[in-house]
Every structure is written in structure tokens, then in C-alpha cells.
Short mmCIF file of all heavy atoms in Angstrom, two decimals:
data_model
loop_
_atom_site.label_atom_id
_atom_site.label_comp_id
_atom_site.label_asym_id
_atom_site.label_seq_id
_atom_site.Cartn_x
_atom_site.Cartn_y
_atom_site.Cartn_z
N GLY Q 142 87.48 -130.14 -2.75
CA GLY Q 142 88.80 -130.77 -2.74
C GLY Q 142 89.46 -130.60 -1.39
O GLY Q 142 88.93 -129.92 -0.50
N ARG Q 143 90.59 -131.20 -1.23
CA ARG Q 143 91.30 -131.15 0.05
C ARG Q 143 91.64 -129.71 0.42
O ARG Q 143 92.18 -128.96 -0.38
CB ARG Q 143 92.58 -131.99 -0.03
CG ARG Q 143 93.39 -132.02 1.27
CD ARG Q 143 94.60 -132.91 1.14
NE ARG Q 143 94.22 -134.31 0.94
CZ ARG Q 143 95.10 -135.30 0.79
NH1 ARG Q 143 96.41 -135.03 0.80
NH2 ARG Q 143 94.69 -136.53 0.61
N GLY Q 144 91.29 -129.33 1.65
CA GLY Q 144 91.60 -128.00 2.14
C GLY Q 144 90.65 -126.92 1.68
O GLY Q 144 90.84 -125.75 2.01
N GLN Q 145 89.61 -127.28 0.91
CA GLN Q 145 88.66 -126.29 0.42
C GLN Q 145 87.39 -126.29 1.27
O GLN Q 145 87.03 -127.30 1.87
CB GLN Q 145 88.30 -126.59 -1.04
CG GLN Q 145 89.48 -126.51 -2.00
CD GLN Q 145 89.05 -126.71 -3.45
OE1 GLN Q 145 88.06 -126.15 -3.88
NE2 GLN Q 145 89.81 -127.51 -4.18
N ASP Q 146 86.74 -125.15 1.32
CA ASP Q 146 85.52 -125.01 2.10
C ASP Q 146 84.36 -125.76 1.44
O ASP Q 146 84.32 -125.93 0.22
CB ASP Q 146 85.13 -123.53 2.24
CG ASP Q 146 86.13 -122.76 3.08
OD1 ASP Q 146 86.80 -123.39 3.93
OD2 ASP Q 146 86.23 -121.53 2.90
N ILE Q 147 83.43 -126.20 2.26
CA ILE Q 147 82.25 -126.88 1.76
C ILE Q 147 81.47 -125.94 0.83
O ILE Q 147 81.42 -124.72 1.05
CB ILE Q 147 81.37 -127.35 2.94
CG1 ILE Q 147 80.31 -128.35 2.46
CG2 ILE Q 147 80.73 -126.17 3.67
CD1 ILE Q 147 79.60 -129.06 3.59
N ALA Q 148 80.91 -126.49 -0.22
CA ALA Q 148 80.23 -125.66 -1.23
C ALA Q 148 79.22 -126.50 -2.00
O ALA Q 148 79.18 -127.72 -1.91
CB ALA Q 148 81.27 -125.07 -2.19
N GLY Q 149 78.39 -125.80 -2.77
CA GLY Q 149 77.43 -126.48 -3.64
C GLY Q 149 78.11 -126.96 -4.90
O GLY Q 149 78.85 -126.21 -5.55
N MET Q 150 77.88 -128.22 -5.25
CA MET Q 150 78.42 -128.78 -6.49
C MET Q 150 77.45 -128.51 -7.65
O MET Q 150 76.26 -128.29 -7.45
CB MET Q 150 78.64 -130.29 -6.34
CG MET Q 150 79.55 -130.70 -5.19
SD MET Q 150 81.25 -130.15 -5.39
CE MET Q 150 81.30 -128.75 -4.27
N LYS Q 151 77.98 -128.57 -8.84
CA LYS Q 151 77.16 -128.34 -10.03
C LYS Q 151 76.21 -129.52 -10.24
O LYS Q 151 76.64 -130.66 -10.37
CB LYS Q 151 78.06 -128.14 -11.25
CG LYS Q 151 77.32 -127.72 -12.52
CD LYS Q 151 78.32 -127.34 -13.59
CE LYS Q 151 77.63 -126.89 -14.88
NZ LYS Q 151 78.60 -126.40 -15.89
N MET Q 152 74.91 -129.24 -10.28
CA MET Q 152 73.91 -130.29 -10.42
C MET Q 152 73.76 -130.72 -11.88
O MET Q 152 73.82 -129.88 -12.78
CB MET Q 152 72.55 -129.81 -9.91
CG MET Q 152 72.46 -129.60 -8.42
SD MET Q 152 70.88 -128.84 -7.90
CE MET Q 152 69.71 -130.12 -8.42
N PRO Q 153 73.52 -132.01 -12.14
CA PRO Q 153 73.17 -132.44 -13.49
C PRO Q 153 71.90 -131.72 -13.96
O PRO Q 153 70.98 -131.47 -13.16
CB PRO Q 153 72.92 -133.94 -13.33
CG PRO Q 153 73.74 -134.33 -12.14
CD PRO Q 153 73.65 -133.14 -11.20
N VAL Q 154 71.83 -131.41 -15.24
CA VAL Q 154 70.73 -130.62 -15.78
C VAL Q 154 69.37 -131.25 -15.49
O VAL Q 154 68.40 -130.55 -15.15
CB VAL Q 154 70.91 -130.42 -17.31
CG1 VAL Q 154 69.65 -129.81 -17.92
CG2 VAL Q 154 72.11 -129.54 -17.59
N LYS Q 155 69.26 -132.57 -15.59
CA LYS Q 155 67.95 -133.21 -15.41
C LYS Q 155 67.41 -133.01 -14.00
O LYS Q 155 66.19 -132.93 -13.80
CB LYS Q 155 68.01 -134.70 -15.75
CG LYS Q 155 68.89 -135.55 -14.85
CD LYS Q 155 68.84 -137.00 -15.29
CE LYS Q 155 69.68 -137.91 -14.39
NZ LYS Q 155 69.60 -139.34 -14.83
N TYR Q 156 68.31 -132.88 -13.02
CA TYR Q 156 67.85 -132.66 -11.65
C TYR Q 156 67.53 -131.18 -11.40
O TYR Q 156 66.66 -130.87 -10.57
CB TYR Q 156 68.88 -133.16 -10.65
CG TYR Q 156 69.04 -134.66 -10.68
CD1 TYR Q 156 70.27 -135.25 -10.97
CD2 TYR Q 156 67.94 -135.50 -10.47
CE1 TYR Q 156 70.41 -136.63 -11.03
CE2 TYR Q 156 68.08 -136.89 -10.53
CZ TYR Q 156 69.32 -137.44 -10.81
OH TYR Q 156 69.45 -138.80 -10.88
N VAL Q 157 68.19 -130.29 -12.11
CA VAL Q 157 67.83 -128.87 -12.03
C VAL Q 157 66.42 -128.68 -12.59
O VAL Q 157 65.61 -127.94 -12.03
CB VAL Q 157 68.83 -127.98 -12.79
CG1 VAL Q 157 68.47 -126.50 -12.61
CG2 VAL Q 157 70.26 -128.22 -12.32
N CYS Q 158 66.13 -129.39 -13.67
CA CYS Q 158 64.80 -129.30 -14.27
C CYS Q 158 63.74 -129.89 -13.34
O CYS Q 158 62.62 -129.36 -13.25
CB CYS Q 158 64.78 -130.00 -15.63
SG CYS Q 158 65.78 -129.17 -16.89
N GLU Q 159 64.07 -130.97 -12.65
CA GLU Q 159 63.14 -131.53 -11.69
C GLU Q 159 62.94 -130.56 -10.51
O GLU Q 159 61.82 -130.43 -9.99
CB GLU Q 159 63.64 -132.88 -11.17
CG GLU Q 159 62.64 -133.59 -10.26
CD GLU Q 159 63.15 -134.92 -9.73
OE1 GLU Q 159 64.25 -135.38 -10.16
OE2 GLU Q 159 62.45 -135.52 -8.89
N MET Q 160 64.00 -129.90 -10.08
CA MET Q 160 63.90 -128.89 -9.03
C MET Q 160 62.98 -127.75 -9.46
O MET Q 160 62.15 -127.27 -8.68
CB MET Q 160 65.28 -128.34 -8.67
CG MET Q 160 65.27 -127.21 -7.66
SD MET Q 160 66.90 -126.81 -6.96
CE MET Q 160 67.79 -126.27 -8.42
N PHE Q 161 63.10 -127.35 -10.70
CA PHE Q 161 62.24 -126.31 -11.29
C PHE Q 161 60.77 -126.74 -11.21
O PHE Q 161 59.90 -125.99 -10.75
CB PHE Q 161 62.69 -126.07 -12.73
CG PHE Q 161 61.74 -125.28 -13.58
CD1 PHE Q 161 61.52 -123.93 -13.33
CD2 PHE Q 161 61.07 -125.88 -14.64
CE1 PHE Q 161 60.64 -123.20 -14.13
CE2 PHE Q 161 60.21 -125.16 -15.44
CZ PHE Q 161 59.98 -123.81 -15.19
N ILE Q 162 60.49 -127.95 -11.62
CA ILE Q 162 59.12 -128.46 -11.60
C ILE Q 162 58.63 -128.63 -10.17
O ILE Q 162 57.45 -128.37 -9.86
CB ILE Q 162 59.05 -129.79 -12.38
CG1 ILE Q 162 59.18 -129.51 -13.88
CG2 ILE Q 162 57.77 -130.56 -12.07
CD1 ILE Q 162 59.34 -130.74 -14.74
N ASP Q 163 59.49 -129.06 -9.28
CA ASP Q 163 59.14 -129.23 -7.87
C ASP Q 163 58.69 -127.90 -7.27
O ASP Q 163 57.71 -127.85 -6.52
CB ASP Q 163 60.34 -129.78 -7.11
CG ASP Q 163 60.04 -130.10 -5.66
OD1 ASP Q 163 59.02 -130.75 -5.38
OD2 ASP Q 163 60.85 -129.72 -4.79
N ARG Q 164 59.38 -126.84 -7.60
CA ARG Q 164 59.05 -125.52 -7.07
C ARG Q 164 57.71 -125.02 -7.62
O ARG Q 164 56.91 -124.41 -6.89
CB ARG Q 164 60.17 -124.52 -7.38
CG ARG Q 164 61.41 -124.78 -6.55
CD ARG Q 164 62.56 -123.86 -6.89
NE ARG Q 164 63.64 -124.03 -5.93
CZ ARG Q 164 63.72 -123.42 -4.76
NH1 ARG Q 164 62.78 -122.55 -4.42
NH2 ARG Q 164 64.72 -123.65 -3.94
N ILE Q 165 57.46 -125.26 -8.88
CA ILE Q 165 56.17 -124.89 -9.46
C ILE Q 165 55.04 -125.64 -8.76
O ILE Q 165 54.03 -125.06 -8.35
CB ILE Q 165 56.14 -125.21 -10.97
CG1 ILE Q 165 57.12 -124.33 -11.73
CG2 ILE Q 165 54.72 -125.03 -11.54
CD1 ILE Q 165 57.30 -124.73 -13.18
N SER Q 166 55.21 -126.95 -8.61
CA SER Q 166 54.17 -127.79 -8.04
C SER Q 166 53.90 -127.45 -6.58
O SER Q 166 52.74 -127.42 -6.14
CB SER Q 166 54.56 -129.26 -8.18
OG SER Q 166 54.78 -129.60 -9.53
N ALA Q 167 54.95 -127.19 -5.82
CA ALA Q 167 54.78 -126.82 -4.41
C ALA Q 167 54.03 -125.49 -4.30
O ALA Q 167 53.14 -125.34 -3.46
CB ALA Q 167 56.14 -126.72 -3.73
N SER Q 168 54.37 -124.54 -5.15
CA SER Q 168 53.68 -123.24 -5.14
C SER Q 168 52.21 -123.41 -5.48
O SER Q 168 51.34 -122.78 -4.85
CB SER Q 168 54.35 -122.27 -6.12
OG SER Q 168 55.65 -121.93 -5.71
N LYS Q 169 51.91 -124.25 -6.45
CA LYS Q 169 50.51 -124.48 -6.83
C LYS Q 169 49.74 -125.13 -5.69
O LYS Q 169 48.59 -124.75 -5.40
CB LYS Q 169 50.45 -125.38 -8.07
CG LYS Q 169 50.83 -124.69 -9.36
CD LYS Q 169 50.69 -125.64 -10.54
CE LYS Q 169 50.97 -124.93 -11.86
NZ LYS Q 169 50.84 -125.83 -13.03
N ASN Q 170 50.33 -126.11 -5.04
CA ASN Q 170 49.63 -126.83 -3.97
C ASN Q 170 49.39 -125.97 -2.74
O ASN Q 170 48.34 -126.08 -2.10
CB ASN Q 170 50.42 -128.09 -3.58
CG ASN Q 170 50.15 -129.25 -4.53
OD1 ASN Q 170 49.04 -129.41 -5.02
ND2 ASN Q 170 51.16 -130.05 -4.79
N TYR Q 171 50.34 -125.12 -2.40
CA TYR Q 171 50.19 -124.31 -1.20
C TYR Q 171 49.42 -123.01 -1.45
O TYR Q 171 48.67 -122.55 -0.60
CB TYR Q 171 51.56 -124.02 -0.58
CG TYR Q 171 52.15 -125.20 0.15
CD1 TYR Q 171 53.40 -125.70 -0.19
CD2 TYR Q 171 51.46 -125.83 1.18
CE1 TYR Q 171 53.95 -126.80 0.48
CE2 TYR Q 171 51.99 -126.92 1.85
CZ TYR Q 171 53.24 -127.40 1.50
OH TYR Q 171 53.76 -128.48 2.16
N GLN Q 172 49.60 -122.42 -2.62
CA GLN Q 172 48.94 -121.14 -2.91
C GLN Q 172 47.57 -121.31 -3.55
O GLN Q 172 46.75 -120.40 -3.52
CB GLN Q 172 49.83 -120.27 -3.79
CG GLN Q 172 51.12 -119.87 -3.10
CD GLN Q 172 51.92 -118.85 -3.90
OE1 GLN Q 172 51.66 -118.61 -5.07
NE2 GLN Q 172 52.89 -118.24 -3.26
N ARG Q 173 47.37 -122.46 -4.19
CA ARG Q 173 46.08 -122.78 -4.80
C ARG Q 173 45.61 -121.68 -5.75
O ARG Q 173 46.29 -121.36 -6.71
CB ARG Q 173 45.06 -123.09 -3.70
CG ARG Q 173 45.47 -124.30 -2.87
CD ARG Q 173 44.51 -124.62 -1.77
NE ARG Q 173 45.00 -125.76 -1.00
CZ ARG Q 173 45.03 -125.84 0.30
NH1 ARG Q 173 44.55 -124.83 1.03
NH2 ARG Q 173 45.50 -126.91 0.91
N GLU Q 174 44.44 -121.08 -5.48
CA GLU Q 174 43.87 -120.11 -6.42
C GLU Q 174 44.68 -118.82 -6.50
O GLU Q 174 44.52 -118.03 -7.44
CB GLU Q 174 42.41 -119.79 -6.05
CG GLU Q 174 42.22 -119.02 -4.76
CD GLU Q 174 42.25 -119.91 -3.53
OE1 GLU Q 174 42.33 -121.15 -3.69
OE2 GLU Q 174 42.18 -119.37 -2.41
N LYS Q 175 45.57 -118.58 -5.54
CA LYS Q 175 46.41 -117.39 -5.57
C LYS Q 175 47.65 -117.56 -6.45
O LYS Q 175 48.38 -116.60 -6.70
CB LYS Q 175 46.84 -117.02 -4.14
CG LYS Q 175 45.68 -116.61 -3.23
CD LYS Q 175 46.18 -116.25 -1.84
CE LYS Q 175 45.03 -115.84 -0.93
NZ LYS Q 175 45.51 -115.50 0.45
N TYR Q 176 47.87 -118.77 -6.92
CA TYR Q 176 49.08 -119.05 -7.73
C TYR Q 176 49.04 -118.31 -9.06
O TYR Q 176 48.01 -118.23 -9.73
CB TYR Q 176 49.19 -120.55 -7.99
CG TYR Q 176 50.32 -120.91 -8.93
CD1 TYR Q 176 51.61 -121.09 -8.46
CD2 TYR Q 176 50.09 -121.03 -10.31
CE1 TYR Q 176 52.66 -121.40 -9.33
CE2 TYR Q 176 51.13 -121.34 -11.18
CZ TYR Q 176 52.40 -121.52 -10.69
OH TYR Q 176 53.44 -121.81 -11.55
N THR Q 177 50.22 -117.78 -9.44
CA THR Q 177 50.42 -117.24 -10.79
C THR Q 177 51.77 -117.75 -11.27
O THR Q 177 52.55 -118.33 -10.51
CB THR Q 177 50.43 -115.70 -10.79
OG1 THR Q 177 51.64 -115.23 -10.16
CG2 THR Q 177 49.22 -115.13 -10.07
N ASP Q 178 52.09 -117.50 -12.53
CA ASP Q 178 53.38 -117.95 -13.07
C ASP Q 178 54.55 -117.22 -12.41
O ASP Q 178 55.70 -117.64 -12.57
CB ASP Q 178 53.42 -117.74 -14.59
CG ASP Q 178 52.56 -118.75 -15.34
OD1 ASP Q 178 52.37 -119.86 -14.82
OD2 ASP Q 178 52.09 -118.42 -16.44
N ARG Q 179 54.28 -116.15 -11.69
CA ARG Q 179 55.34 -115.44 -10.98
C ARG Q 179 55.56 -115.99 -9.56
O ARG Q 179 56.57 -115.67 -8.92
CB ARG Q 179 55.03 -113.94 -10.88
CG ARG Q 179 55.08 -113.20 -12.22
CD ARG Q 179 55.18 -111.70 -12.00
NE ARG Q 179 56.45 -111.33 -11.37
CZ ARG Q 179 57.59 -111.16 -12.03
NH1 ARG Q 179 57.64 -111.33 -13.34
NH2 ARG Q 179 58.69 -110.82 -11.38
N SER Q 180 54.66 -116.81 -9.08
CA SER Q 180 54.74 -117.30 -7.70
C SER Q 180 56.05 -118.04 -7.40
O SER Q 180 56.68 -117.79 -6.36
CB SER Q 180 53.54 -118.19 -7.38
OG SER Q 180 52.35 -117.47 -7.43
N PRO Q 181 56.50 -118.97 -8.26
CA PRO Q 181 57.73 -119.71 -7.94
C PRO Q 181 58.97 -118.82 -7.83
O PRO Q 181 59.79 -119.02 -6.93
CB PRO Q 181 57.85 -120.71 -9.10
CG PRO Q 181 56.45 -120.92 -9.56
CD PRO Q 181 55.81 -119.56 -9.43
N ILE Q 182 59.13 -117.86 -8.72
CA ILE Q 182 60.31 -117.00 -8.64
C ILE Q 182 60.21 -116.06 -7.44
O ILE Q 182 61.21 -115.76 -6.78
CB ILE Q 182 60.53 -116.18 -9.95
CG1 ILE Q 182 61.86 -115.43 -9.90
CG2 ILE Q 182 59.39 -115.22 -10.21
CD1 ILE Q 182 63.08 -116.30 -9.80
N GLU Q 183 59.03 -115.61 -7.10
CA GLU Q 183 58.86 -114.74 -5.95
C GLU Q 183 59.22 -115.47 -4.66
O GLU Q 183 59.86 -114.91 -3.78
CB GLU Q 183 57.42 -114.21 -5.89
CG GLU Q 183 57.12 -113.18 -6.97
CD GLU Q 183 55.66 -112.79 -7.04
OE1 GLU Q 183 54.84 -113.44 -6.34
OE2 GLU Q 183 55.33 -111.85 -7.79
N TYR Q 184 58.81 -116.72 -4.55
CA TYR Q 184 59.14 -117.52 -3.37
C TYR Q 184 60.65 -117.79 -3.32
O TYR Q 184 61.28 -117.70 -2.27
CB TYR Q 184 58.37 -118.83 -3.38
CG TYR Q 184 58.63 -119.68 -2.15
CD1 TYR Q 184 57.97 -119.41 -0.96
CD2 TYR Q 184 59.54 -120.74 -2.19
CE1 TYR Q 184 58.21 -120.18 0.18
CE2 TYR Q 184 59.79 -121.51 -1.07
CZ TYR Q 184 59.12 -121.22 0.11
OH TYR Q 184 59.37 -121.98 1.23
N TYR Q 185 61.22 -118.12 -4.47
CA TYR Q 185 62.66 -118.40 -4.57
C TYR Q 185 63.49 -117.20 -4.12
O TYR Q 185 64.45 -117.34 -3.37
CB TYR Q 185 62.98 -118.76 -6.02
CG TYR Q 185 64.44 -118.83 -6.37
CD1 TYR Q 185 65.17 -120.00 -6.22
CD2 TYR Q 185 65.11 -117.71 -6.88
CE1 TYR Q 185 66.51 -120.06 -6.55
CE2 TYR Q 185 66.45 -117.76 -7.21
CZ TYR Q 185 67.15 -118.94 -7.05
OH TYR Q 185 68.48 -118.99 -7.38
N LEU Q 186 63.11 -116.00 -4.55
CA LEU Q 186 63.88 -114.80 -4.25
C LEU Q 186 63.87 -114.44 -2.76
O LEU Q 186 64.74 -113.72 -2.29
CB LEU Q 186 63.36 -113.63 -5.08
CG LEU Q 186 63.62 -113.71 -6.58
CD1 LEU Q 186 62.94 -112.56 -7.31
CD2 LEU Q 186 65.12 -113.72 -6.88
N LYS Q 187 62.90 -114.95 -2.02
CA LYS Q 187 62.82 -114.66 -0.59
C LYS Q 187 63.95 -115.32 0.20
O LYS Q 187 64.29 -114.86 1.28
CB LYS Q 187 61.47 -115.12 -0.03
CG LYS Q 187 60.28 -114.30 -0.51
CD LYS Q 187 58.98 -114.85 0.07
CE LYS Q 187 57.78 -114.06 -0.41
NZ LYS Q 187 56.51 -114.63 0.13
N SER Q 188 64.51 -116.41 -0.35
CA SER Q 188 65.49 -117.17 0.44
C SER Q 188 66.80 -117.48 -0.28
O SER Q 188 67.72 -118.04 0.31
CB SER Q 188 64.86 -118.48 0.92
OG SER Q 188 64.30 -119.20 -0.16
N VAL Q 189 66.92 -117.12 -1.55
CA VAL Q 189 68.08 -117.51 -2.34
C VAL Q 189 69.40 -116.98 -1.77
O VAL Q 189 70.47 -117.58 -1.98
CB VAL Q 189 67.93 -117.08 -3.82
CG1 VAL Q 189 67.91 -115.56 -3.94
CG2 VAL Q 189 69.03 -117.68 -4.68
#
């Protein structure tokens, strides 16, 4: 709003779910055989 600092807006749920899937898929493609179900959260926590 006017006079407020720039910030992240609340995302629609369907795009949050797509972001979730995007992170899984990117981790699988780059880590390949090293991928586990913990890989996406571990990568996320490095930069959140």
C-alpha cells in the first residue's frame, strides 16, 4: 500500500503447489541418483 515497504504478497494456493512441485522436479533433475525426499527441503533451507 501507499507508504509501505516492498514485500511478498500472499500467493494463490494453486501456485504454491506448483512451486512445491517445481522444487521437487528441479532437485530430481540436478541431483539425479543422489535425490531423496529430503532433498527439496534441504535445498530450500539453504536460502530461505
Side-chain angles (χ1 to χ4, degrees):
R143 181 177 295 179
Q145 297 185 44
D146 292 335
I147 194 169
M150 303 294 103
K151 187 171 181 175
M152 292 173 62
V154 171
K155 65 179 182 179
Y156 294 121
V157 184
C158 292
E159 185 181 355
M160 176 167 63
F161 166 69
I162 288 171
D163 185 47
R164 288 177 172 275
I165 294 172
S166 302
S168 293
K169 286 182 176 180
N170 278 325
Y171 285 123
Q172 296 188 346
R173 298 179 182 135
E174 68 277 356
K175 295 180 180 180
Y176 174 86
T177 71
D178 286 332
R179 292 197 66 83
S180 296
I182 187 63
E183 288 172 352
Y184 182 80
Y185 169 89
L186 291 174
K187 290 178 181 178
S188 53
V189 65

